[in-house]
Amino acid sequence: MSNGNSSSNGASGSNVSQGEIVDSARRLLDLITSAERQREPRQVDDNGRSAPKPASLQMEMTSEFQIQSHFQECSPRPDERGAFPPQHVPAKKLKPLEVAFYLLPKQCEKTPKEGDQILHLQAGLGRRTAHLDEASTHEELCEALNILFPKLRNVSGGWLVYKASAGWGCRKITLVPPEDSGYSGRILKFASRGAKNLFIAPIQEELSTSPLQLDDESFRNMPKADCQKCGLPVPLPLLTEHIKTCDVIDDIVIEERETDMQECPVCTQIFPTDFIEAHASACGESASAGNEMHASTISEEEAAIPGTSGGDRDGGWFTIADPAKAIAQCVENHLSLHKEENPLQLTMDIRSSPTEQDMALISFYKPPNVEWGRPLNCRLEGDTAIGQGVTRFFLSSCIEKLKSGFSINFANADVTRLFDGEPGHLVPSASHFLVESDLFMVAGRMLGHSFLHGGPSLSGLSPAVVHVLLGGSPETATLTLEDCPDLDIREIIRLLGGESTLSEKDAASVQELAYAWDLPSITETNRRWIFEKLLIHAVIGRVTRQIKQLRRGLKETPMWTVLTQRPDTVDRLLPKEGSGNINPEVLLQRITWPREDDEDADYSVATICCITGYLRQFIAHATPTELTDLVKFWTGWEILPRSLSVEVVTGRYPTASTCFEALRVPGHYKDYASFRTDVLASISSCQTGFGLV
């Protein structure tokens, strides 16, 4: 019995929970503590106050039980099998890495050109930004690139990563070697330091550069905007190029114009339907007057039609066969759009120094975001001349300064030339100071502004510069040694032009120049290649930024649109040296000579014939420079108008009314020598004032 009871109690004791044991221990402590308090005398300090009691046994054991309970709750407990659960280790902090990739269609030696970048973007290639981690593996990189560039999914021959050398323009690209496990985030981090883009090129394949549909998967992550012509959502990077080729509204406008026009049964001319009845009733009464009125009405009707601005191809000028008429129509359309706006004010003091005069011209063309199609008001302080002749003087002075240089001390030079070289081979100056001052953008604005007002053009540019300016590649430009403005560099490059063996001194000079421009050592096999590369860099490579600035200035005016849309106008707007020279025979044919039956003439017919004979002789024997100065003195600029007039008057020296294009010659001359001397003295003053003064 006793054994059975003891075993029973032991079994029941084993089932007692730990909490019950703790409660029993606490009750036992309470009993012991209360007994101690009854036996313990009250302690008083020296001041008669109760002294603090020492910590009781209950308090100490209670604290120990609380600490033990806290650790029991926080510490992991074993499961049914007696195993402890795995403890959680905090995840490693990610280090984000942002890399700009550029997908090339094939293996290349240099970075793509500006025109190729647009083609690549339309084909789903080009530049994309990937958000990676420094610990990314090659597999994770491949997965991210396949999302950025869906075309990479079909590449089975592998690809490699390249980086471009420092600088601008087309630069050489070099391989970024992968590790044994491929490319990782760590490799890309070090490779992207100092590099704008990392280039990806397939090894054994060539990707298509055909434009993709606008809803293609490659453009999925790009922001989009609706085209106002066709209404389709277009990715923002492609919107500018899309607008140039989207002709939906243009076709609608043409169809509406055709349906709103009707042929007159009397004169068989085409007129608006709303005006045809009024025209037909008056057509037989006054044909000439009616034609002028209807032509004016038609031009007003067409001007009111949307999409006929001078800067677009829809203004009618693009389809005109004659380049000169196409240019005139484009200018007229553009000026008519802005004729009601506030005019531009250009003022210069003719009494100030040449430096101050040139600074006035540069200051006028320096501000950005100016609409150059607004009306132009020019004023010469210190000169009584007014009217169109003053405008011609300003525009002629701008083009002359571009060729001969500004009288401003830039970079320790009395005359600052924007273009260097021989006539017919002018190249932008390689001075970085001029680039930082945006003076080539000023030059582009001057050219475009002169174009808008029918002024002179900049002649004598190197054909290679014109080729690159209009978007051509330097490698396809036609270059000659005369295009190199630096005579020392030209002579060094000339040494490679022949086939004779170079002396040690010549070889050292050529090699030093080649090394300075990052070219390899010269051998017999690469001699011709080194010659071409040196010439390209001497003419184009050193002035790439200057050409880009000049292009940006031209793009602010319709002149750029005409140059790019109508290649047949390039020779007129950027003529070769000597093509704009005035021919004496043409000048004589355009002069309206004094009439013999003019009763109000100041001199007799014999005197008038003698003076006009002197003028004919001067024009026939004058040099091209003298003829240019004569026309500039006569009209205000060097452009030959359709008609000029001559008057024989009373006076001391020859004068001119540039607004009316009239030359007034005194009739007191008795011999040709004195006549020629005074004419040369007068036309030499065309740079400092007007004959009207």
Side-chain angles (χ1 to χ4, degrees):
M1 294 293 291
S2 61
N3 292 339
N5 290 337
S6 62
S7 64
S8 175
N9 293 336
S12 61
S14 61
N15 295 329
V16 177
S17 63
Q18 184 178 2
E20 294 176 353
I21 297 174
V22 172
D23 293 337
S24 299
R26 286 177 177 172
R27 286 194 293 270
L28 178 60
L29 288 174
D30 291 338
L31 293 175
I32 297 173
T33 304
S34 60
E36 289 180 355
R37 288 177 179 173
Q38 293 176 2
R39 296 192 303 267
E40 186 179 29
R42 183 181 181 186
Q43 298 180 3
V44 181
D45 58 7
D46 298 337
N47 297 326
R49 293 177 297 184
S50 297
K53 299 179 180 180
S56 64
L57 177 62
Q58 181 185 10
M59 296 176 62
E60 294 179 358
M61 295 189 67
T62 302
S63 300
E64 292 182 4
F65 276 116
Q66 290 177 351
I67 295 173
Q68 181 181 4
S69 176
H70 173 74
F71 278 104
Q72 288 177 353
E73 293 177 0
C74 296
S75 61
R77 298 181 180 179
D79 55 12
E80 297 176 354
R81 298 173 298 177
F84 287 91
Q87 298 186 12
H88 296 283
V89 179
K92 184 179 180 181
K93 186 177 180 181
L94 298 177
K95 295 183 179 180
L97 176 65
E98 185 176 291
V99 183
F101 290 100
Y102 191 105
L103 179 57
L104 297 169
K106 59 180 180 180
Q107 292 286 323
C108 302
E109 295 182 356
K110 293 186 177 181
T111 57
K113 304 168 188 173
E114 184 176 354
D116 295 336
Q117 294 178 11
I118 298 177
L119 296 178
H120 294 167
L121 189 62
Q122 294 174 339
L125 310 176
R127 187 179 184 274
R128 302 280 196 281
T129 301
H131 300 277
L132 308 171
D133 182 68
E134 291 186 13
S136 299
T137 62
H138 184 78
E139 290 73 17
E140 294 173 344
L141 175 62
C142 292
E143 183 179 354
L145 291 179
N146 288 338
I147 297 176
L148 283 179
F149 304 103
K151 282 193 173 184
L152 267 184
R153 301 171 185 170
N154 302 325
V155 175
S156 58
W159 47 265
L160 292 173
V161 178
Y162 298 83
K163 65 180 296 186
S165 58
W168 54 83
C170 290
R171 293 158 291 156
K172 185 178 180 180
I173 58 177
T174 56
L175 175 66
V176 178
E179 294 180 342
D180 296 340
S181 58
Y183 290 103
S184 62
R186 184 180 61 84
I187 295 178
L188 299 179
K189 177 183 178 181
F190 287 103
S192 59
R193 288 181 178 177
K196 184 178 181 181
N197 300 319
L198 292 181
F199 296 87
I200 302 175
I203 302 175
Q204 307 178 57
E205 304 173 41
E206 181 174 352
L207 301 178
S208 174
T209 56
S210 300
L212 301 176
Q213 297 293 330
L214 297 178
D215 56 353
D216 190 84
E217 183 184 6
S218 301
F219 309 133
R220 177 181 56 189
N221 297 327
M222 289 186 179
K224 297 179 176 61
D226 293 337
C227 174
Q228 296 184 358
K229 290 187 175 182
C230 63
L232 296 177
V234 182
L236 284 180
L238 304 177
L239 185 58
T240 303
E241 293 298 322
H242 171 79
I243 294 175
K244 295 180 181 179
T245 57
C246 186
D247 299 327
V248 176
I249 283 186
D250 305 336
D251 297 338
I252 296 175
V253 170
I254 294 175
E255 291 177 1
E256 291 179 354
R257 189 184 303 179
E258 291 178 353
T259 56
D260 294 342
M261 307 298 286
Q262 187 174 349
E263 180 180 356
C264 173
V266 180
C267 61
T268 69
Q269 299 292 328
I270 302 298
F271 297 98
T273 303
D274 299 339
F275 191 76
I276 192 66
E277 294 183 3
H279 163 74
S281 62
C283 183
E285 299 177 1
S286 178
S288 60
N291 289 336
E292 294 178 0
M293 179 179 62
H294 303 325
S296 174
T297 304
I298 291 176
S299 63
E300 294 177 359
E301 292 281 344
E302 292 178 348
I305 299 176
T308 58
S309 64
D312 300 328
R313 291 172 50 171
D314 307 324
W317 63 269
F318 183 76
T319 57
I320 299 177
D322 188 358
K325 294 181 179 179
I327 294 173
Q329 185 64 42
C330 176
V331 170
E332 181 181 356
N333 293 343
H334 190 79
L335 293 180
S336 63
L337 290 176
H338 307 281
K339 63 180 179 180
E340 301 298 333
E341 299 181 12
N342 293 331
L344 300 173
Q345 303 289 342
L346 176 55
T347 303
M348 185 174 70
D349 193 342
I350 201 68
R351 300 163 297 185
S352 60
S353 65
T355 299
E356 294 174 337
Q357 295 179 16
D358 291 352
M359 286 301 299
L361 294 177
I362 293 177
S363 300
F364 177 75
Y365 288 101
K366 199 72 184 295
N369 304 323
V370 176
E371 175 50 59
W372 302 106
R374 292 159 53 186
L376 177 62
N377 291 341
C378 298
R379 185 164 60 92
L380 269 178
E381 297 181 355
D383 199 313
T384 58
I386 57 174
Q388 187 65 23
V390 181
T391 302
R392 296 174 181 175
F393 171 78
F394 273 105
L395 297 177
S396 177
S397 299
C398 289
I399 304 302
E400 178 64 25
K401 295 297 181 180
L402 291 180
K403 296 186 67 174
S404 61
F406 292 90
S407 300
I408 302 175
N409 187 2
F410 282 152
N412 298 323
D414 293 336
V415 177
T416 300
R417 295 176 59 92
L418 296 187
F419 296 90
D420 296 327
E422 302 177 2
H425 302 276
L426 295 179
V427 176
S429 173
S431 172
H432 290 284
F433 180 82
L434 302 181
V435 177
E436 299 300 331
S437 301
D438 292 335
L439 287 185
F440 290 97
M441 195 178 301
V442 170
R445 293 167 182 161
M446 287 181 175
L447 290 176
H449 202 206
S450 180
F451 160 81
L452 277 175
H453 293 277
S457 303
L458 179 62
S459 62
L461 282 178
S462 168
V465 173
V466 176
H467 174 78
V468 177
L469 176 65
L470 300 181
S473 171
E475 284 75 14
T476 59
T478 303
L479 295 168
T480 62
L481 284 173
E482 287 73 18
D483 291 327
C484 181
D486 194 315
L487 298 181
D488 295 333
I489 295 178
R490 182 194 300 183
E491 293 304 319
I492 295 176
I493 299 176
R494 191 191 302 273
L495 298 174
L496 295 173
E499 298 181 356
S500 59
T501 304
L502 299 178
S503 64
E504 293 184 1
K505 180 180 179 181
D506 294 341
S509 300
V510 174
Q511 193 63 72
E512 182 180 359
L513 182 62
Y515 286 157
W517 290 347
D518 297 331
L519 293 174
S521 301
I522 301 172
T523 62
E524 290 298 330
T525 56
N526 68 357
R527 176 171 178 168
R528 184 64 188 178
W529 180 82
I530 293 290
F531 171 81
E532 295 175 354
K533 291 297 181 181
L534 288 176
L535 188 57
I536 290 175
H537 189 76
V539 179
I540 303 297
R542 299 193 301 164
V543 296
T544 302
R545 296 177 62 193
Q546 288 84 333
I547 295 177
K548 288 183 178 180
Q549 272 198 9
L550 185 63
R551 185 187 300 138
R552 289 171 58 189
L554 289 174
K555 286 183 177 180
E556 297 183 11
T557 67
M559 181 177 177
W560 176 256
T561 304
V562 177
L563 286 171
T564 53
Q565 301 294 337
R566 290 291 299 266
D568 55 344
T569 63
V570 174
D571 291 338
R572 291 177 174 270
L573 300 181
L574 297 174
K576 298 179 181 179
E577 184 69 22
S579 60
N581 290 343
I582 299 174
N583 187 285
E585 289 75 14
V586 176
L587 176 58
L588 290 173
Q589 291 177 0
R590 299 191 180 185
I591 296 177
T592 301
W593 301 97
R595 297 168 50 186
E596 297 182 359
D597 57 348
D598 188 2
E599 298 180 355
D600 297 331
D602 296 341
Y603 291 92
S604 62
V605 175
T607 302
I608 294 176
C609 291
C610 179
I611 298 301
T612 55
Y614 290 158
L615 182 59
R616 291 175 186 269
Q617 185 178 354
F618 177 83
I619 294 175
H621 296 87
T623 63
T625 302
E626 292 173 347
L627 285 179
T628 301
D629 290 343
L630 174 62
V631 174
K632 188 183 296 186
F633 175 80
W634 202 328
T635 64
W637 56 23
E638 55 271 32
I639 298 179
L640 191 62
R642 295 182 179 180
S643 176
L644 303 98
S645 62
V646 176
E647 301 176 8
V648 180
V649 297
T650 302
R652 178 65 183 90
Y653 293 103
T655 59
S657 177
T658 55
C659 296
F660 299 100
E661 298 163 351
L663 179 65
R664 299 188 177 99
V665 185
H668 61 78
Y669 296 103
K670 303 301 182 182
D671 58 88
Y672 173 73
S674 59
F675 173 85
R676 183 176 184 276
T677 301
D678 286 357
V679 169
L680 290 177
S682 298
I683 64 178
S684 64
S685 66
C686 61
Q687 303 293 340
T688 56
F690 284 81
L692 190 62
V693 180

